[in-house]
């Protein structure tokens, strides 16, 4: 089974007919030259090991995914276990990122203390780190979904595994059940080094912090995207590309390709320009220069020069 990158015609078909859409949205869904083609998988990569047939916008609509509405319109983040200061993404910045990325209200639930719940654990034979069984977490979350939740995303620094035969998993979700759990444990380079040694306990350098943060934002965008019914993307380089390992996750961008953007926009109904404006502001604030540059370029593609400049400048003076 060899993955063949889609042709231009296949990509256009996946985006679907945009002729009836408002001008700005139509333009935002035109790829231009801002989206790299998906790379051919190398051995060990996701697409070398998993068959993905892709999900066009029309197929997405036919799948009748959950959509946020007046009653269930909030994304909840559920911290699980400890978040030691200085080496992890602070929950507050994750909340801020999710708010701008999904253009929806996001709230943080009070932390769940691991020892207060019946969660199966084991020691991983390769890393010697403790792992928790993802399914047990999902079962607990499902019992406590707030009435106004579109979805609840548990975030944890504990390493996860989905079943005894698996080594680990970055995250797991029940799409219809509106719950998911994602681990940031493996995003810290120290996870793979001297376990629980001096370095593991110490504060992280600015560069490492940024790396962990970028990885965390991307998994949050990716996994929350699944909660909206988006399956893995095979059309462009995209935050929704599947990933088998950390190098592959690091290679994928933070943005949504036009196919995935259209799905999310349809589901949430946001104004694409306002969303990009907020994202630009956020990326500048956290010092994500590459992302800020990409969004700026995209705004210039979507809008006439004058209008684009107004948004780019307005957001940078705040
Ligand atoms: Zn995924
Ligand atoms: Zn995509």
């Amino acid at each position: 089974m060899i993955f063949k990158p889609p042709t231009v015609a296949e990509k256009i078909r996946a985006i679907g007919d945009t002729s009836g859409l408002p001008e700005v949205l139509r333009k935002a869904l035109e790829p231009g030259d801002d989206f790299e083609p998906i790379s051919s998988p190398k051995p060990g990569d996701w697409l070398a090991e998993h068959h993905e047939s892709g999900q066009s916008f029309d197929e997405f609509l036919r799948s009748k995914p959950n959509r946020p509405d007046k009653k269930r319109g909030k994304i909840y983040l559920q911290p699980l276990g400890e978040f030691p200061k200085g080496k992890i993404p602070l929950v507050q910045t994750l909340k801020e990122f999710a708010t701008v990325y999904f253009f929806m209200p996001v709230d943080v639930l009070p932390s769940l203390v691991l020892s207060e719940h019946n969660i199966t654990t084991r020691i991983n034979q390769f890393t010697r780190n403790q792992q928790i069984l993802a399914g047990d977490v999902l079962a607990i979350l499902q019992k406590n979904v707030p009435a106004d939740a579109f979805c609840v995303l548990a975030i944890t620094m504990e390493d996860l595994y989905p079943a005894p035969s698996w080594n680990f998993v970055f995250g797991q979700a029940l799409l219809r059940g509106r719950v998911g759990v994602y681990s940031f444990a493996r995003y810290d380079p120290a996870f793979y080094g001297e376990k629980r040694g001096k370095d593991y306990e110490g504060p992280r350098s600015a560069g490492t912090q940024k790396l962990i943060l970028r990885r965390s934002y991307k998994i949050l965008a990716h996994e929350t995207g699944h909660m909206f019914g988006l399956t893995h993307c095979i059309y462009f380089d995209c935050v929704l590309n599947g990933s088998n390992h950390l190098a592959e996750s690091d290679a994928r961008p933070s943005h949504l390709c036009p196919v995935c953007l259209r799905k999310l926009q349809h589901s949430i109904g946001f104004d694409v320009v306002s969303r990009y404006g907020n994202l630009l502001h956020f990326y500048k604030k956290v010092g994500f220069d590459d992302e800020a540059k990409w969004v700026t370029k995209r705004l210039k593609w979507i809008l006439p020069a004058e209008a684009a400049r107004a948004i780019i400048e307005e957001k940078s003076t705040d």
Side-chain angles (χ1 to χ4, degrees), residues 16-65:
D17 180 11
T18 61
S19 56
L21 298 177
E23 172 65 15
V24 165
L25 180 55
R26 203 182 49 68
K27 194 75 183 156
L29 299 175
E30 267 177 33
D33 61 358
D34 296 326
F35 300 91
E36 299 292 325
I38 188 161
S39 347
S40 290
K42 294 181 278 302
D45 284 355
W46 182 265
L47 285 170
E49 296 190 355
H50 298 87
H51 175 72
E52 297 270 16
S53 49
Q55 178 197 46
S56 68
F57 175 69
D58 291 335
E59 285 165 339
F60 167 78
L61 290 184
R62 283 200 293 276
S63 75
K64 300 206 183 326

Side-chain angles (χ1 to χ4, degrees), residues 23-292:
E23 172 65 15
V24 165
L25 180 55
R26 203 182 49 68
K27 194 75 183 156
L29 299 175
E30 267 177 33
D33 61 358
D34 296 326
F35 300 91
E36 299 292 325
I38 188 161
S39 347
S40 290
K42 294 181 278 302
D45 284 355
W46 182 265
L47 285 170
E49 296 190 355
H50 298 87
H51 175 72
E52 297 270 16
S53 49
Q55 178 197 46
S56 68
F57 175 69
D58 291 335
E59 285 165 339
F60 167 78
L61 290 184
R62 283 200 293 276
S63 75
K64 300 206 183 326
N66 281 343
R67 277 177 80 174
D69 54 31
K70 278 210 181 75
K71 213 175 130 238
R72 292 190 168 277
K74 211 181 250 186
I75 295 172
Y76 280 98
L77 299 180
Q78 169 68 78
L80 172 69
E82 272 181 70
F83 273 69
K85 254 201 181 128
K87 38 185 121 148
I88 39 87
L90 293 173
V91 177
Q92 205 50 36
T93 178
L94 293 171
K95 173 187 163 172
E96 226 181 296
F97 172 74
T99 306
V100 292
Y101 205 91
F102 293 96
F103 214 85
M104 274 171 65
V106 180
D107 250 343
V108 179
L109 293 166
S111 290
L112 284 179
V113 180
L114 279 173
S115 57
E116 287 174 6
H117 297 274
N118 203 359
I119 298 175
T120 312
T121 63
R122 74 172 184 191
I123 299 295
N124 182 287
Q125 56 172 325
F126 302 108
T127 65
R128 310 307 306 161
N129 285 328
Q130 175 177 279
Q131 294 183 295
I132 61 179
L133 187 62
D136 283 2
V137 178
L138 295 177
I140 292 167
L141 296 178
Q142 264 204 302
K143 279 188 230 148
N144 299 299
V145 177
D148 62 347
F150 171 70
C151 62
V152 180
L153 305 157
I155 49 180
T156 183
M157 289 304 291
E158 299 289 327
D159 197 27
L160 300 171
Y161 71 107
S165 60
W166 282 59
N167 180 20
F168 79 97
V169 70
F170 285 122
Q172 200 179 338
L174 300 172
L175 301 194
R176 301 279 170 188
R178 300 173 182 274
V179 294
V181 56
Y182 315 109
S183 169
F184 302 125
R186 289 175 185 254
Y187 291 165
D188 186 340
F191 182 90
Y192 304 91
E194 286 291 299
K195 295 299 159 307
R196 311 292 178 194
K198 227 176 168 191
D199 178 53
Y200 193 86
E201 300 304 333
R204 302 295 181 258
S205 71
T208 302
Q209 291 248 29
K210 212 170 196 176
L211 175 70
I212 298 174
L213 204 54
R214 178 172 276 117
R215 287 171 171 171
S216 307
Y217 290 158
K218 281 200 277 190
I219 196 177
L220 194 59
H222 178 106
E223 301 294 349
T224 312
H226 282 327
M227 307 298 291
F228 285 86
L230 279 69
T231 67
H232 283 148
C233 179
I234 58 159
Y235 301 106
F236 297 88
D237 253 1
C238 173
V239 78
L240 258 300
N241 295 152
S243 166
N244 237 7
H245 51 86
L246 212 45
E248 199 174 16
S249 310
D250 284 343
R252 75 186 169 199
S254 306
H255 57 251
L256 296 156
C257 79
V259 182
C260 297
L261 176 67
R262 185 169 189 191
K263 295 172 190 174
L264 207 62
Q265 194 284 329
H266 175 83
S267 184
I268 301 170
F270 50 69
D271 173 67
V272 278
V273 168
S274 304
R275 173 179 177 270
Y276 277 138
N278 292 350
L279 268 172
L280 177 61
H281 177 57
F282 178 80
Y283 286 143
K284 282 182 177 171
K285 198 175 83 176
V286 295
F288 278 27
D289 301 337
D290 290 349
E291 281 83 354

